[in-house]
Amino acid sequence: MSVLPLIFTSGWASGINAYAVVLLFGVFGATGLTDEVPEALQRPDVLIAAGVLFLCEAVADKIPYVDSLWDSVHTVIRPVAGAVVGALLAGQSGSVPELAAGAVGGSTALVSHLVKAGTRMAINTSPEPFSNVIMSTTEDLGVAGIITFAIFHPVGAAVVAGTLLVLGTVTALFLVSRIRAFLRRRAQRRAERRAGQAVGPPV
């Protein structure tokens, strides 16, 4: 069976939390739950590094504006991770060319990363910090759930990932448009106040 659905799902998940993807695949492979995971992802040094970075992301991702800074740094890292994981999965199965698998994993990771970053920018306009914690926790649980599901039901997981990708893109575009409208209104109000101050009080 083609490993392409698993590559697509791992790309989507990598765009949200690449370290969780590497860690989960490595653990599943090392414990013998699947033979789809290449040896490179099961190495102890890879698992330790992924675990430490996952903990760092778990903290940074829940702090307003720090999460957006973290996302900007990972604009390159997450798509690259998606491409590498995809290529490794393809190399393990031999059913999909590694270059094509890397392109699928990387491009899917890039789109899901942009959706996540855009949504977080919108959430950061909220005055309370709890929405960041809720969204981050939901994303972490979603990545864990869909990667676990993909190990046993790759096609079903790919359908879920594709649906979430489309819904996330639509939501992010809507939120970004609302933010732009809000910023335009605020800039207009400031300009009006400055104009009023420049005219001065009536004589």
Side-chain angles (χ1 to χ4, degrees):
M1 183 178 65
S2 173
V3 76
L4 189 58
L6 184 60
I7 293 170
F8 177 82
T9 303
S10 67
W12 173 85
S14 294
I16 297 174
N17 193 326
Y19 306 124
V21 173
V22 173
L23 182 61
L24 286 168
F25 273 141
V27 169
F28 289 149
T31 54
L33 289 177
T34 178
D35 55 1
E36 295 285 349
V37 179
E39 293 290 336
L41 297 178
Q42 302 179 39
R43 289 169 40 186
D45 56 332
V46 173
L47 291 175
I48 291 172
V52 171
L53 291 170
F54 169 75
L55 292 176
C56 292
E57 175 150 334
V59 175
D61 203 44
K62 294 174 176 60
I63 304 174
Y65 295 103
V66 173
D67 60 345
S68 291
L69 177 61
W70 184 270
D71 284 339
S72 65
V73 173
H74 285 74
T75 301
V76 175
I77 296 175
R78 288 171 181 158
V80 170
V84 171
V85 170
L88 289 173
L89 290 172
Q92 178 76 3
S93 69
S95 61
V96 177
E98 293 181 27
L99 183 60
V104 171
S107 59
T108 306
L110 176 60
V111 174
S112 64
H113 163 76
L114 293 175
V115 169
K116 172 181 178 173
T119 303
R120 287 307 184 85
M121 289 178 62
I123 290 175
N124 282 333
T125 62
S126 174
E128 46 76 30
F130 302 108
S131 53
N132 294 74
V133 176
I134 293 172
M135 179 60 70
S136 177
T137 303
T138 301
E139 289 171 349
D140 291 342
L141 293 175
V143 168
I146 201 166
I147 289 297
T148 303
F149 185 43
I151 290 295
F152 303 102
H153 304 283
V155 176
V159 172
V160 173
T163 302
L164 292 174
L165 189 62
V166 172
L167 293 176
T169 301
V170 173
T171 302
L173 291 175
F174 171 76
L175 292 175
V176 169
S177 67
R178 294 295 297 271
I179 292 173
R180 288 177 176 174
F182 169 76
L183 293 176
R184 282 196 299 268
R185 289 195 299 268
R186 187 169 67 176
Q188 184 178 2
R189 287 195 296 266
R190 287 179 177 177
E192 291 173 352
R193 285 197 298 267
R194 289 174 183 172
Q197 293 171 357
V199 172
V203 177

